[in-house]
């Protein structure tokens, strides 16, 4: 989704949901990058937001692995 996720939102997800979310966000990022290249992207901040969401998910996943 395009709504901004908080770290609390991310922590509520199960490991499986997190992995799924990372996959979704990465494909979304790919789409956004193509749009940016084609000059169809009106909101460049979406790329940043998506990247940060991916980072949040991966951070939580790595935290859980290290425990």
């Amino acid at each position: 989704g395009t709504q901004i996720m908080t770290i609390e939102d991310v922590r509520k997800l199960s490991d499986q949901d997190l992995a799924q979310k990372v996959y979704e966000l990465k494909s979304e990022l790919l789409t956004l990058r193509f749009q940016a290249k084609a000059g169809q992207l009106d909101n460049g901040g979406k790329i940043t937001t998506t990247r940060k969401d991916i980072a949040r998910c991966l951070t939580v996943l790595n935290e859980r692995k290290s425990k």
Side-chain angles (χ1 to χ4, degrees):
T2 48
Q3 85 279 13
I4 298 170
M5 295 172 65
T6 63
I7 196 79
E8 285 82 27
D9 294 338
V10 177
R11 287 207 169 99
K12 284 175 194 161
L13 298 170
S14 70
D15 288 2
Q16 207 170 3
D17 288 342
L18 270 177
Q20 177 67 33
K21 194 81 185 156
V22 170
Y23 179 78
E24 284 170 19
L25 287 168
K26 280 186 174 176
S27 58
E28 190 179 322
L29 188 60
L30 201 65
T31 312
L32 289 172
R33 284 199 181 124
F34 277 125
Q35 286 176 351
K37 280 271 190 282
Q40 295 172 334
L41 194 63
D42 50 341
N43 181 3
K46 262 189 175 174
I47 290 180
T48 314
T49 323
T50 308
R51 280 177 46 218
K52 288 185 176 178
D53 282 345
I54 292 172
R56 280 188 201 101
C57 292
L58 292 175
T59 301
V60 173
L61 273 174
N62 288 327
E63 275 175 4
R64 288 179 186 173
K65 277 182 189 151
S66 64
K67 282 182 187 167

